[in-house]
Amino acid sequence: MTTDQPQLFSYSGSTAPDTPFPFAAPARLADLMAPDWAEVLAPVRTQLEEIASELEAERRAGQHILPSPENILRVFQRPLASARVLIVGQDPYPTPGHAVGLSFSVGKEVRPLPRSLNNIFAELHTDTGITPSPSGDLSAWADQGVVLMNRVLTVRAGEAGSHRKRGWEEVTELAVRALAARRRPDGTRVPLVAVLWGRDAQGIVPFLGGAPTVESAHPSPLSASRGFFGSRPFSRVNELLVQQGAQPVDWRLGAVR
């Protein structure tokens, strides 16, 4: 999600449509994500089926699960091989209509933007001079190999952190380890920089195998002034990519510099 703190509201709306969770048995991972991600996540296939069963039970009990079923595994739809930056979130936005399966991102139509995302855009401008578009859709970053991954991939509407300890942490731990383990034919590491905002994200450091990180406080309004603002994450990421022989990320989102 976009905050290290509990959400300050509850949700009492209607339940979501009865769309099947696509990773329930007997679906094949290769039909749901990029082939290289399907290969590395094969060891947690049974766990994904168990998570799907738990989510279905919650939904039948009247809970609204976010994001929509087809977006839950969206972060794995772009190839693992193209990844060069990892930005770690906590869990999806619990506000209905916000969660899209990519950490910190929202749909193009969402207004106003979540406060954490506004803070990210403010720091983007301070750091790089880029003025972002009004849209909070970060898929242009994902298209460049920025993996926008939450540690937990689902949440109950209005209840931040409600799907912790359901098995998602093991799934995303395996994903992080796979990102960090990639090697070129000569044995050198494939370039990767991990952006870790807040304590939850920084908990993945042991899985990164020494990959360089950019760490600071979380962009939540409750913590951004305690080290996120002024941390220059975007330029620091690009410096670390160039040091590894990789191309920098173009952080523009359809805006003019």
Side-chain angles (χ1 to χ4, degrees), residues 51-70:
I51 293 171
S53 295
E54 290 189 16
L55 295 178
E56 184 59 40
E58 282 200 17
R59 188 165 61 178
R60 291 184 182 278
Q63 298 292 342
H64 186 169
I65 308 300
L66 302 173
S68 57
E70 68 274 12

Side-chain angles (χ1 to χ4, degrees), residues 70-142:
E70 68 274 12
N71 280 332
I72 291 173
L73 299 180
R74 182 181 174 189
V75 68
F76 303 123
Q77 291 177 359
R78 291 168 176 84
L80 168 64
S82 68
R84 51 182 168 148
V85 178
L86 170 65
I87 297 181
V88 181
Q90 178 180 308
D91 58 355
Y93 292 114
T95 304
H98 283 194
V100 294
L102 302 176
S103 63
F104 298 103
S105 185
V106 294
K108 291 179 175 152
E109 73 288 347
V110 171
R111 301 290 190 281
L113 298 182
R115 292 177 295 171
S116 291
L117 185 53
N118 271 325
N119 287 342
I120 290 170
F121 284 172
E123 181 62 20
L124 174 68
H125 180 65
T126 300
D127 183 11
T128 68
I130 292 171
T131 300
S133 72
S135 169
D137 179 7
L138 305 182
S139 56
W141 294 355

Side-chain angles (χ1 to χ4, degrees), residues 109-180:
E109 73 288 347
V110 171
R111 301 290 190 281
L113 298 182
R115 292 177 295 171
S116 291
L117 185 53
N118 271 325
N119 287 342
I120 290 170
F121 284 172
E123 181 62 20
L124 174 68
H125 180 65
T126 300
D127 183 11
T128 68
I130 292 171
T131 300
S133 72
S135 169
D137 179 7
L138 305 182
S139 56
W141 294 355
D143 290 340
Q144 297 183 71
V146 179
V147 180
L148 299 162
M149 181 188 298
N150 285 312
R151 282 288 277 135
V152 174
L153 301 185
T154 58
V155 69
R156 286 195 298 268
E159 298 182 48
S162 52
H163 285 172
R164 290 187 177 193
K165 312 297 184 185
R166 295 294 186 89
W168 284 126
E169 290 89 349
E170 289 75 20
V171 173
T172 54
E173 175 184 335
L174 181 58
V176 172
R177 290 185 183 277
L179 282 165

Side-chain angles (χ1 to χ4, degrees), residues 80-84 178-184 188-192:
L80 168 64
S82 68
R84 51 182 168 148
L179 282 165
R182 294 172 302 155
R183 295 293 184 271
R184 297 186 179 106
T188 59
R189 182 194 299 276
V190 173
L192 177 70

